[in-house]
Amino acid sequence: MDITLSKTQQNIAQEARRFLKKECPSEYVQKMFKDPQGMTDDLWRKMAEMDWMAMRIPENYGGMGMEQIDMSLLLEEMGRVVLPGPFFSTVILAGETILAAGTDTQKRQYLSAIADGKAKATLALHEPDGGSDLGYIDMSGTRNGEDFILNGTKLYVPDAHLADFIVVPVRTGTTGEPADTISLFVMSAREKGVTISPLPTMDGTRKLSAVICRDVQLTKASILGELNKGWHPLMHALQRAQVGLCAEAVGGAQKAMEIASDYAKVRVQYDQPIGSFQAVKHMCAQMFTETESSRSMLYWASWAQDFGAENEATIAASSAKAYCTDAFTNVAAKGIQVLGGTGFTMENEMHLYLKRAKANQAALGTPVYHRERIMQLLASAVQ
Amino acid sequence: MDFRLTPAEETFREEFRKWLNQTLPGDWDPFNQPTFKEPEKIRDTYRAFQKKLSEAGYAGIHYDKAYGGQGRSLMEGVIVSQEMGRRCISVVMPGVITHGMALPLIYFCGTEDQKKKFIPKILDGSHLWCQGFSEPDAGSDVANISTMAVRDGDNYIVNGQKVWTSMAHFADYCLLVVRTDPDSRKHKGLSYLLVDMSLPGIDPRPMTQITGEAEFNEVFFDNVRVPVSSLIGEEGQGWKMAITTLMFERAMGDVVISAAYETNVEKLIRMAATTKNSGQPVIEDPVYRQQIAQSYIEIMALKYHGLRNFSSHIKTGIPGPEGSIGKLLWSEPNQRITETAMDMQGPAGQIAGGPWSVQNGSWQYAFLRSKGNTIEAGTSEIQRNIIGERVLGLPKDASRDKSAS
């Protein structure tokens, strides 16, 4: 057993922190928050030069074949600065799904483009009335000869406005469990019949859109892997994406905690730094406690995706998703409280953390959803 | 990064698990063991079990063979502790202070004579220890200790009063913190003595706690003559010594306690499956499902945080900042587990035992006992002060700053 970071892993984090401090300062994030695109091409290109898009992609598809924990360390640093833009949607949501479901040819085509930074992509998962239920997939894919016709609405799709291609889980089977009825299509964002409408988001650093498909005609070759067999690879990819959100949450919580405790050391009221008052000090201590324990959960869940048994990978991802995103929300909210009126302004960066925290809590299954999933696994193990 | 045990460690775990299954009575129920209402019984149960552990070669796993230990790895030490935690042995038997504090302190700081004298007796179950820290005026402000030890030839003459001293009424020895320099203030001038509880002038008086049992005591020391050879470490260095030695044990303690709480969550789920509300099993109630799952998640956070802390401690030898939060990660979640259990029982939550009680009233006991968790071994407030000041570097509050200078 060794639950420490290797030298290489420490370097990933340090390099990322150095790069992002320079290239993605708070002023840039504040600007992108209001910008309709949400990221500059310049930053995207520089990130690609760092080989970040290639980290998790296997070497034979032009990537570096690294582990989930390595990606988590990078995402932790991205969360620390509340990185805007389509990295998460492209590399994690679309990339991991293609990696889990695609055929060799599909991986060669799409993953190489992602690894090089040439393509931006996303995953269109949620639907109206589905809530957090990841299996609520109503978009229909009906056969038309050798082709399929897609009809339906996908919501809360991250960065669809920038995407070159979109992975879409679709119901192609008529009856039965998701495991036998869901297919994953990959389609161009400019496919005939696809309408992408940006939605006003609370977190301006993570743009969301509605993706509406009206009689979108796709060939059979657009199906990732096998027809009707998209559910399991999708779930595997989503687990890694859930862990990815945890990593962002840990990085964000860490920075929010640092901002708050640094402020508490210098802000003087009643002739003393407010951090000397236990009411404030204990809030900071609680922020530290939740952040540091979240990091332990993140390491476990990251490791379990690559090396744990299937059941452990699932329960670890759900446990971490609930724990870390709850913690980030608590920490960011306390951060605003410690900063007082200053923390309540748009000018101060703390709002970025609270908004991202809520977004990460809501995305890919709320804590309530994940707790129920855990309970199902626990109850079946005990009874 | 690797969360797995080596194959050899896995085999060792299996062996010990098998031994435990064979050794514990077939109907071993950690939730139905003698309590402190029967001090002799609880002591004898501990002694008999520890003796068996020792005879089977499982006592003091990572301690030196020269003192009766097994000379095995720290990881194997953790494995044994985890397994005992899983069966809740370490929680229901009164050996926590003996093995978590007295043993490491003597092992790492004691003289050769002290090690030879005390460690084998701890490992074979002959000696139980208590610790004399808190005093009426030194609770959270533990450095305010005023129990005095005045040198008189080959002895210290000890006078003073300790309080909240768990197990003092049946312990054989006490790890006693005293002030050896009468002119000293705060942490300076504190020393540790290894005190034989049968010495004349020691008077433990059990105090009944909210569970109805007497786990802790007031202990009066009236001109107790303690041999100078009982001093451990240097005079006046007691505080520093204790803090560095016990950091590591804390890390190990978190791992043990998470194993016990995992068992408690399983028990909670079994209870939810059999307890009914409006004729339906409580386990079908979405509110309780959320609470149970949340408790499981919190125990996983404790477990993996504890393991991570332990792992980095082994690798670097230095306790990282992650070590300081373990106490908060177990005490508060344990209170939530017991509260959930009580709520799930509905009106039966009022019944502490007998045929109409749920799981023989064990949760009623656990609920009350858990209220001590955020007080004992440093209150939650003190833990948060420590994190705020020593980890985050926040200033001390003005009044405490003055009294410390």
Side-chain angles (χ1 to χ4, degrees), chain A residues 105-127:
Chain A
T105 318
Q106 288 165 334
K107 288 183 196 173
R108 206 165 293 284
Q109 182 184 351
Y110 296 111
L111 293 183
S112 311
I114 288 177
D116 291 346
K118 287 193 186 107
K120 299 188 183 85
T122 190
L123 171 75
L125 176 68
H126 294 293
E127 297 192 12

Side-chain angles (χ1 to χ4, degrees), chain A residues 53-67 91 95-96 98-100 102 104 107-108 110-112 114-116:
Chain A
M53 286 73 162
M55 262 173 79
R56 280 272 308 140
I57 291 170
E59 287 172 32
N60 50 332
Y61 303 119
M64 300 161 77
M66 295 172 88
E67 294 171 7
V91 177
E96 291 289 353
I98 295 165
L99 188 55
D104 184 60
K107 288 183 196 173
R108 206 165 293 284
Y110 296 111
L111 293 183
S112 311
I114 288 177
D116 291 346

Side-chain angles (χ1 to χ4, degrees), chain A residues 20-75:
Chain A
L20 290 167
K21 197 174 172 189
K22 180 163 171 278
E23 303 294 339
C24 187
S26 161
E27 303 78 54
Y28 175 80
V29 181
Q30 292 270 34
K31 204 170 142 201
M32 289 302 112
F33 189 94
K34 297 187 190 98
D35 182 274
Q37 294 300 303
M39 185 186 241
T40 51
D41 292 341
D42 182 53
L43 179 55
W44 185 258
R45 187 179 47 76
K46 284 181 179 161
M47 280 166 50
E49 283 165 9
M50 297 290 287
D51 281 334
W52 285 354
M53 286 73 162
M55 262 173 79
R56 280 272 308 140
I57 291 170
E59 287 172 32
N60 50 332
Y61 303 119
M64 300 161 77
M66 295 172 88
E67 294 171 7
Q68 181 69 43
I69 182 70
D70 304 314
M71 178 53 82
S72 290
L73 294 169
L74 174 61
L75 287 169

Side-chain angles (χ1 to χ4, degrees), chain B residues 103-129:
Chain B
L103 176 57
L105 204 65
I106 295 167
Y107 185 78
F108 289 110
C109 307
T111 63
E112 196 55 32
D113 283 349
Q114 287 169 336
K115 290 197 234 184
K116 288 217 165 99
K117 179 179 175 191
F118 292 115
I119 295 176
K121 295 287 185 196
I122 286 177
L123 294 180
D124 73 8
S126 310
H127 289 172
L128 254 175
W129 284 67

Side-chain angles (χ1 to χ4, degrees), chain B residues 24 27-34 84-89 91-93 263-264 267 362:
Chain B
L24 292 173
D27 57 349
W28 165 258
D29 175 5
F31 306 102
N32 198 12
Q33 289 300 307
M84 299 222 294
R86 208 172 64 84
R87 304 299 294 272
C88 297
I89 295 162
V91 183
V92 298
M93 287 194 190
T263 302
N264 279 2
K267 185 189 172 201
S362 52

